[in-house]
Amino acid sequence: MVVAIDGPAGCGKSTVAKILAERLHLTFLNSGSFYRGITLALLRAGIDLKDEQKVLDFARGLNLDYVNSHLFLEGEDVEDLLHTDQVDAYAAQVSAIVPLRHIVNEKIREVTKSLSIVCEGRDMTTVVFPNAEHKFYLDASIDVQAQRRFNQGVSDLSLEEIKESIRKRDEIDKNKAEGALKIAPDALYIDTSHLTIEEVCEIMTRKIQN
Ligand code: DC
């Protein structure tokens, strides 16, 4: 079984996907981790992100793995290094490179081959798992998105700067040549701006179990 969830940054999809996976005994897959992990590796290697050919050659040679919902780069668990301001700032740009998306999609399908999963990202319901049994699109207003990131306490940016960075990121994510963030016609749309995590999970669980 595949439960696929898409939505912009800060709509709460990671949090609810984790909870649902636990309640329904499914494996949680955060597809953004793959783009973030590749971005981290590129930054560490000092590769010019505008040089697409170099980025692709580098990404093709990377040993990426996903074990127990943690991303591994060359055998190193980098899960705790994926949400810095620097990775945040560049992951959208890296994920806009079309052939790189193909590398990631192939990897995601490979690591989830024989699993029942709850996955979340930007193109889970549209490109990666178009035949998912359950599809959701979570949304939130830009103010709520920024406030949630601010409240996480992991950013050195001001609330206004966070808002600007999310706006830029969502703009790139919605206008990608492939894998752009959009609402699948058969997805349930949920605006989470004024809902608690528990309320969102409740709506989704009811839909899945119906
Ligand atoms: O969900 P996230 O914020 O961890 O995603 C990080 C970046 O990767 C973000 O810019 C969107 C992009 N992404 C994507 O293009 N496709 C996905 N399936 C998941 C994430």
Side-chain angles (χ1 to χ4, degrees), residues 42 47-49 51-59 97 100:
L42 288 162
I47 288 171
D48 176 6
L49 301 184
D51 188 338
E52 284 200 12
Q53 199 48 53
K54 265 212 185 117
V55 168
L56 282 173
D57 289 343
F58 181 81
I97 302 172
L100 186 128

Side-chain angles (χ1 to χ4, degrees), residues 81-100:
L81 307 174
L82 301 181
H83 294 271
T84 61
D85 288 330
Q86 206 195 10
V87 172
D88 255 28
Y90 294 109
Q93 183 184 336
V94 169
S95 67
I97 302 172
V98 171
L100 186 128

Side-chain angles (χ1 to χ4, degrees), residues 27-28 65-72 77 79:
T27 299
F28 166 62
D65 208 354
Y66 196 75
V67 184
N68 295 330
S69 306
H70 280 216
L71 191 88
F72 285 74
D77 181 348
E79 198 56 39

Side-chain angles (χ1 to χ4, degrees), residues 6-7 9 13 30-33 35-36 83 88 91-93 95-96 101 108 120-124 128 169 173 176 179:
D6 285 323
K13 59 191 188 303
N30 177 339
S31 61
S33 297
Y35 295 104
R36 288 177 179 273
H83 294 271
D88 255 28
Q93 183 184 336
S95 67
R101 301 194 68 81
I108 288 177
E120 56 98 343
R122 304 295 187 289
D123 59 350
M124 297 296 102
V128 184
R169 196 138 56 97
D173 286 336
K176 282 172 180 157

Side-chain angles (χ1 to χ4, degrees), residues 105-119:
N105 292 348
E106 214 169 287
K107 194 78 208 172
I108 288 177
R109 292 193 188 108
E110 181 193 317
V111 299
T112 60
K113 219 172 23 218
S114 50
L115 300 173
S116 283
I117 58 168
V118 180
C119 58

Side-chain angles (χ1 to χ4, degrees), residues 10-202:
C11 65
K13 59 191 188 303
S14 255
T15 311
V16 301
K18 264 186 221 158
I19 296 173
L20 285 182
E22 214 175 291
R23 287 189 188 163
L24 304 170
H25 307 291
L26 305 172
T27 299
F28 166 62
L29 179 118
N30 177 339
S31 61
S33 297
F34 289 79
Y35 295 104
R36 288 177 179 273
I38 294 172
T39 304
L40 174 69
L42 288 162
L43 292 170
R44 276 177 169 179
I47 288 171
D48 176 6
L49 301 184
K50 290 197 189 76
D51 188 338
E52 284 200 12
Q53 199 48 53
K54 265 212 185 117
V55 168
L56 282 173
D57 289 343
F58 181 81
R60 284 200 181 99
L62 263 183
N63 177 13
L64 275 181
D65 208 354
Y66 196 75
V67 184
N68 295 330
S69 306
H70 280 216
L71 191 88
F72 285 74
L73 264 184
E74 308 297 335
E76 176 193 357
D77 181 348
V78 292
E79 198 56 39
D80 291 340
L81 307 174
L82 301 181
H83 294 271
T84 61
D85 288 330
Q86 206 195 10
V87 172
D88 255 28
Y90 294 109
Q93 183 184 336
V94 169
S95 67
I97 302 172
V98 171
L100 186 128
R101 301 194 68 81
H102 299 162
I103 298 172
V104 168
N105 292 348
E106 214 169 287
K107 194 78 208 172
I108 288 177
R109 292 193 188 108
E110 181 193 317
V111 299
T112 60
K113 219 172 23 218
S114 50
L115 300 173
S116 283
I117 58 168
V118 180
C119 58
E120 56 98 343
R122 304 295 187 289
D123 59 350
M124 297 296 102
T125 59
T126 52
V127 176
V128 184
F129 298 108
N131 299 320
E133 286 85 347
H134 303 284
K135 295 185 181 183
F136 298 93
Y137 185 100
L138 303 192
D139 211 350
S141 71
I142 182 80
D143 288 326
V144 170
Q145 286 174 275
Q147 192 66 52
R148 284 177 181 163
R149 167 86 184 156
F150 187 74
N151 292 349
Q152 282 171 356
V154 292
S155 174
D156 294 327
L157 306 178
S158 68
L159 186 57
E160 224 16 77
E161 286 168 331
I162 290 178
K163 204 186 285 185
E164 191 43 39
S165 122
I166 290 178
R167 198 176 280 126
K168 261 193 211 142
R169 196 138 56 97
D170 286 350
E171 174 77 15
I172 298 176
D173 286 336
K174 285 180 176 161
N175 291 293
K176 282 172 180 157
E178 236 181 71
L181 174 61
K182 52 184 169 217
I183 308 171
D186 51 349
L188 178 69
Y189 177 91
I190 306 172
D191 184 346
T192 70
S193 301
H194 305 292
L195 296 175
T196 63
I197 294 291
E198 193 42 54
E199 286 168 333
V200 178
C201 288
E202 189 56 38

